[in-house]
Amino acid sequence: MSFVRISSGEVVIGRPMPWTVYDDRKQVLLEQGGIVESDRHKQALMERGVFRRQPTSESRVGTEGGEKPTDSTCAFEEIKLDIGDTMQLQVQGDAAQIRYYVKLIGYFKGKSIIVSTPTLDGKVLLMREGQAFVVRMFSGKSVYAFGTTVSKVANVPFPHLHLSYPAQVRGLVVRRGARARVNLICAVAGADGRSHAASLVDLSTGGAMLTAKTPIGAKDDRLSIKFRVVVNDVEEYLTIPAILRSVHATAAAEGELPQVSHGVQFSELPHSEQVVLSAYVYRVLFEESAEG
């Protein structure tokens, strides 16, 4: 299940909310049927960023041509991972959504997958046998996931884990243009040289939708968008050239400024930026699919 940002105009003071409202960390702010009682209450909610769950039938996670990522299953060995590839471990049932990043050391078909032991601030974390995880990873233009448990914790000749070998792995082939819902603060340099504060609300490897309080430019203007993402537990700062393809204002409550939506197409991405952007977009898309 994916999430969609709620606009200020959709929050009506004194009227029961038609959906449960979440913040950008997917924590509940207001249950369905709850009432925003005052302007102050509404302002406090909007400042935190408010979202609602989006049913699969409404999902915009697809390509500009209407295609959706292809979901399938395969055997782990068919993925053709390389030694040293990064894998993400998430504790099953972990309410805090804590994720660890480890490296693939090797695998024995049907027996176990060997990975490095997670670390935090340079210190090896304590893992226990029988601990259950969801594993996620990237390969080519696909992202994969499977459930596993720690079958063996070893410290010789270095800390590593044996994970139970999955019967099947779920894969998602992400097509060019697939859009992931995000909430990223960005700085946009307009064609006039001025800098604008904006928010990225969806993102693909080929373009994005961003919102701002005022128009950033006119159709076909060239922009430069700067924002931060986290990939494989590492902060990456991207500067992406883009072309402004659409500008339109959304409805707002009386007395408030409307949000202005801007559709942009990325242009002439440097290879290094493209690799980081693809990894981030694929990860978000897969996690949205897993939650659905």
Side-chain angles (χ1 to χ4, degrees), residues 152-221:
K152 180 68 176 178
V153 177
N155 294 305
V156 178
F158 50 82
H160 62 279
L161 306 175
H162 286 259
L163 305 178
S164 60
Y165 201 89
Q168 285 187 324
V169 175
R170 181 184 177 194
L172 184 73
V173 178
V174 183
R175 303 179 188 277
R176 177 176 173 80
R179 290 183 176 267
R181 294 196 175 277
V182 297
N183 180 28
L184 301 173
I185 301 301
C186 63
V188 183
D192 58 2
R194 294 175 56 194
S195 182
H196 305 263
S199 297
L200 287 164
V201 295
D202 71 32
L203 184 65
S204 76
T205 57
M209 181 68 72
L210 55 87
T211 61
K213 293 183 178 180
T214 58
I216 290 172
K219 188 175 181 296
D220 297 329
D221 278 356

Side-chain angles (χ1 to χ4, degrees), residues 206 222-223 240-243 245 265-270:
R222 290 191 172 272
L223 312 173
I240 297 180
I243 301 172
R245 294 304 190 191
Q265 176 185 354
F266 297 150
S267 172
E268 301 174 356
L269 266 71

Side-chain angles (χ1 to χ4, degrees), residues 102-125:
V102 299
K103 298 293 185 180
L104 176 66
I105 297 172
Y107 63 89
F108 186 5
K109 181 179 176 181
K111 299 296 183 180
S112 72
I113 298 169
I114 308 170
V115 300
S116 59
T117 302
T119 60
L120 180 63
D121 297 328
K123 297 181 179 179
V124 176
L125 297 176

Side-chain angles (χ1 to χ4, degrees), residues 111-143:
K111 299 296 183 180
S112 72
I113 298 169
I114 308 170
V115 300
S116 59
T117 302
T119 60
L120 180 63
D121 297 328
K123 297 181 179 179
V124 176
L125 297 176
L126 179 63
M127 298 285 113
R128 67 179 187 275
E129 293 177 4
Q131 192 169 4
F133 291 100
V134 173
V135 180
R136 296 187 177 93
M137 59 214 156
F138 305 97
S139 181
K141 293 185 177 181
S142 299
V143 282

Side-chain angles (χ1 to χ4, degrees), residues 19-280:
W19 348 262
T20 297
V21 177
Y22 302 81
D23 63 15
D24 57 4
R25 295 185 178 181
K26 300 178 183 175
Q27 302 298 311
V28 174
L29 293 177
L30 190 66
E31 295 285 356
Q32 182 176 0
I35 295 176
V36 178
E37 299 176 346
S38 64
D39 285 324
R40 185 174 181 179
H41 186 193
K42 177 177 177 178
Q43 183 178 358
L45 285 175
M46 300 309 294
E47 286 177 352
R48 292 189 64 176
V50 288
F51 299 81
R52 63 179 174 86
R53 285 187 177 273
Q54 184 180 40
T56 303
S57 59
E58 295 182 12
S59 178
R60 293 173 56 201
V61 177
T63 67
E64 284 86 348
E67 295 176 305
K68 294 183 178 181
T70 302
D71 194 353
S72 61
T73 58
C74 64
F76 178 82
E77 63 273 11
E78 294 175 4
I79 302 172
K80 307 297 183 185
L81 293 174
D82 292 325
I83 302 305
D85 280 354
T86 299
M87 305 173 78
Q88 180 196 84
L89 306 185
Q90 179 182 331
V91 179
Q92 290 196 22
D94 181 19
Q97 298 290 300
I98 296 174
R99 297 174 172 88
Y100 306 116
Y101 290 89
V102 299
K103 298 293 185 180
L104 176 66
I105 297 172
Y107 63 89
F108 186 5
K109 181 179 176 181
K111 299 296 183 180
S112 72
I113 298 169
I114 308 170
V115 300
S116 59
T117 302
T119 60
L120 180 63
D121 297 328
K123 297 181 179 179
V124 176
L125 297 176
L126 179 63
M127 298 285 113
R128 67 179 187 275
E129 293 177 4
Q131 192 169 4
F133 291 100
V134 173
V135 180
R136 296 187 177 93
M137 59 214 156
F138 305 97
S139 181
K141 293 185 177 181
S142 299
V143 282
Y144 300 91
F146 61 90
T148 189
T149 57
V150 177
S151 56
K152 180 68 176 178
V153 177
N155 294 305
V156 178
F158 50 82
H160 62 279
L161 306 175
H162 286 259
L163 305 178
S164 60
Y165 201 89
Q168 285 187 324
V169 175
R170 181 184 177 194
L172 184 73
V173 178
V174 183
R175 303 179 188 277
R176 177 176 173 80
R179 290 183 176 267
R181 294 196 175 277
V182 297
N183 180 28
L184 301 173
I185 301 301
C186 63
V188 183
D192 58 2
R194 294 175 56 194
S195 182
H196 305 263
S199 297
L200 287 164
V201 295
D202 71 32
L203 184 65
S204 76
T205 57
M209 181 68 72
L210 55 87
T211 61
K213 293 183 178 180
T214 58
I216 290 172
K219 188 175 181 296
D220 297 329
D221 278 356
R222 290 191 172 272
L223 312 173
S224 177
I225 305 172
K226 297 181 180 180
F227 58 98
R228 180 186 70 93
V229 297
V230 177
V231 178
N232 295 341
D233 213 23
V234 177
E235 289 187 347
E236 302 278 1
Y237 291 85
L238 301 178
T239 301
I240 297 180
I243 301 172
L244 186 54
R245 294 304 190 191
S246 66
V247 182
H248 64 275
T250 56
E254 184 178 353
E256 296 185 2
L257 289 173
Q259 288 287 310
V260 182
S261 297
H262 303 76
V264 299
Q265 176 185 354
F266 297 150
S267 172
E268 301 174 356
L269 266 71
H271 178 70
S272 58
E273 309 281 75
Q274 192 172 36
V275 169
V276 173
L277 179 65
S278 297
Y280 178 76

